[in-house]
Amino acid sequence: MSALDGLRVVDFTQVIFGPAATQVLADHGAEVIKIERPGQGDLARAFGPWHNGQSLPFASLNLSKQSLVIDLKRDEGLGVVHRLLEGADVLVHNFRSGSVMEKLGLDYEALEERYPRLVYAVGSGYGSSGPYVERNKGGHESMAQALSGAAARFVGARGPQRLPFTVADFTGGMLLAQAILLALLARERTGRGQYVETSLLDGMMSMQAWNTSKLLNIGDDGEDDGSGGATHPRGNPLDGAVFQTADGHLMVTALFRPFDVLMADLEEALGANGLASDARFADLETAKNHRAELHARLQPIFAQRPSQEWIPLLEAKDILVAPVRSTAEALADPQLAVNNMLVDVEHPQVGPTRHVGTPLRLRDTPATQARPAPLIGEHSAQVLRSIGYSEEEVEHQIGRAHV
């Protein structure tokens, strides 16, 4: 048995943010029914690359879900939603604003009394009210990175830029999943569901807690940006320092002991004679003022050997070190196989595909065996039958959904 067996989720989410949240629920046994528009379905289905006709980006975030195609512009389609909600535990959407669901009569206020045990979860760009909502500003990964301060830290040759991965969408998705699970736990005590929400902007601000409390309470002293030293000229020069080796790059993080002890350990590990006695690196504050000189002192030494020769020497001194890999290289790490992070699924039409699986491991109630992401409308008949529609009604509904 998985942790969420028996839980029904009516899922209106699309693209990344919302599907990332409902993927957590599906991974752990919830029946997640994707409500998809006729013809197009989830917008992510249009994103390549494709494998045997199926979008791989879509497939990566919709494992073990069911697809039900219905036309929400028809009363019959809304009737299907209400039939589903009679036995549902959670409704999730990540539309730009609540007006989409309001127009359908599916906003929380319209459903609260009719389905008192329903947890109604909303992921948005900025929240459910406020100046961005008032002007109907679209939410997006790049907007959240820019508005939160993240892009200002990730500076390239031409200035600030977007981080090359969907950190806002995935952070928001994981937070929304947490909110849903918290509301379900609360329902066990109160007997009632509730409205829960988070936003891309909220998530990006919450992940900067190391730095935001300082800014809010004592202001910006110019000493750090919350990254330790990785991206700030006044941070620790050995926190996330990157050195080129004979065959690649190593990231080195030398922390958690007095700086003079670190210098002695580095001197011994690297054979860098005189490093510990160099007055420029006597303590952290002095080293901050000579970070370029410290890097210049260490870089030629690292360049003398390949990465795999340096790693055991540094690890013997308990200095954190790792090769800087591509994502493709990271996927070949045997640790991922040990952690069961790679899952193989096979669809009778699409064929075999491989994906990164759930990062959550529950010993007594493990995740379900991953099933392939659905083809559009693949489970329409199955879902309709499960909520009491006759075969004639199923055929009618499916026919109307594809008109």
Side-chain angles (χ1 to χ4, degrees):
M1 181 182 78
S2 296
L4 302 179
D5 281 354
L7 197 77
R8 172 172 283 176
V9 180
V10 181
D11 181 7
F12 290 87
T13 68
Q14 298 192 73
V15 192
I16 301 176
F17 178 8
T22 57
Q23 184 67 75
V24 175
L25 308 180
D27 285 339
H28 293 275
E31 179 192 23
V32 177
I33 300 171
K34 285 184 68 73
I35 305 298
E36 299 199 75
R37 72 191 76 185
Q40 184 179 28
D42 186 331
L43 293 171
R45 289 186 182 274
F47 302 161
W50 288 267
H51 174 72
N52 291 339
Q54 186 177 63
S55 160
L56 286 174
F58 171 85
S60 70
L61 285 175
N62 291 281
L63 296 172
S64 302
K65 299 178 185 178
Q66 301 177 42
S67 172
L68 169 62
V69 171
I70 52 176
D71 187 352
L72 295 176
K73 296 178 181 179
R74 298 178 183 271
D75 289 342
E76 289 175 302
L78 290 174
V80 173
V81 173
H82 282 285
R83 187 86 69 93
L84 281 169
L85 290 175
E86 289 172 4
D89 299 278
V90 182
L91 180 152
V92 195
H93 79 77
N94 65 321
F95 292 120
R96 176 184 294 195
S97 71
S99 63
V100 174
M101 297 299 267
E102 288 172 5
K103 291 175 182 177
L104 296 170
L106 296 175
D107 53 298
Y108 178 66
E109 287 71 23
L111 302 180
E112 179 182 9
E113 293 305 318
R114 185 171 177 178
Y115 309 109
R117 289 179 55 81
L118 183 68
V119 172
Y120 193 104
V122 178
S124 63
Y126 314 103
S128 56
S129 61
Y132 294 134
V133 176
E134 289 169 6
R135 69 177 196 251
N136 198 31
K137 181 179 179 64
H140 190 269
E141 173 75 38
S142 57
M143 298 297 97
Q145 289 195 24
L147 289 168
S148 66
R153 293 189 194 177
F154 191 64
V155 179
R158 292 180 291 179
Q161 58 187 7
R162 171 179 158 165
L163 279 72
F165 44 86
T166 53
V167 59
D169 278 320
F170 272 87
T171 298
M174 297 308 100
L175 292 173
L176 188 58
Q178 287 179 37
I180 291 167
L181 296 172
L182 288 168
L184 289 169
L185 180 61
R187 191 182 71 175
E188 292 299 303
R189 300 171 181 168
T190 67
R192 289 192 63 86
Q194 60 182 293
Y195 178 95
V196 302
E197 67 171 317
T198 193
S199 76
L200 296 175
L201 180 59
D202 295 337
M204 289 300 291
M205 297 311 299
S206 69
M207 70 185 302
Q208 299 177 75
W210 189 269
N211 192 44
T212 51
S213 290
K214 181 176 75 173
L215 293 173
L216 289 168
N217 291 281
I218 62 175
D220 186 358
D221 58 9
E223 288 293 299
D224 195 2
D225 61 2
S227 68
T231 63
H232 196 281
R234 289 293 297 166
N236 187 324
L238 289 174
D239 182 3
V242 176
F243 298 98
Q244 187 170 356
T245 65
D247 64 347
H249 292 84
L250 286 178
M251 183 170 287
V252 177
T253 296
L255 300 172
F256 311 124
R257 71 200 83 169
F259 204 78
D260 59 336
V261 176
L262 284 173
M263 290 297 99
D265 288 340
L266 272 174
E267 178 175 328
E268 184 174 346
L270 301 176
N273 295 330
L275 183 65
S277 59
D278 193 320
R280 296 173 298 176
F281 319 130
D283 55 52
L284 178 58
E285 289 306 309
T286 305
K288 285 180 179 179
N289 295 324
H290 296 91
R291 62 190 300 125
E293 292 94 324
L294 178 57
H295 193 277
R297 176 80 169 83
L298 297 177
Q299 176 55 70
I301 299 173
F302 275 103
Q304 295 171 10
R305 295 190 183 190
S307 297
Q308 289 306 313
E309 291 187 18
W310 286 124
I311 290 173
L313 295 173
L314 291 165
E315 288 184 343
K317 292 294 183 180
D318 201 24
I319 293 170
L320 301 176
V321 59
V324 178
R325 295 170 169 169
S326 68
T327 304
E329 292 169 333
L331 287 168
D333 191 320
Q335 187 64 52
L336 294 183
V338 172
N339 294 348
N340 296 316
M341 280 296 293
L342 300 177
V343 298
D344 295 289
V345 298
E346 184 155 358
H347 191 280
Q349 290 177 250
V350 175
T353 54
R354 200 172 204 202
H355 306 277
V356 170
T358 176
L360 306 175
R361 291 182 286 281
L362 284 68
R363 180 171 296 178
D364 293 337
T365 54
T368 60
Q369 177 65 44
R371 302 187 305 277
L375 301 178
I376 185 167
E378 179 179 350
H379 302 95
S380 292
Q382 174 185 323
V383 171
L384 291 170
R385 291 188 193 104
S386 74
I387 55 176
Y389 282 88
S390 67
E391 288 300 320
E392 182 180 353
E393 290 171 321
V394 167
E395 291 181 14
H396 176 74
Q397 287 288 348
I398 292 175
R400 296 302 295 269
H402 291 85
V403 171

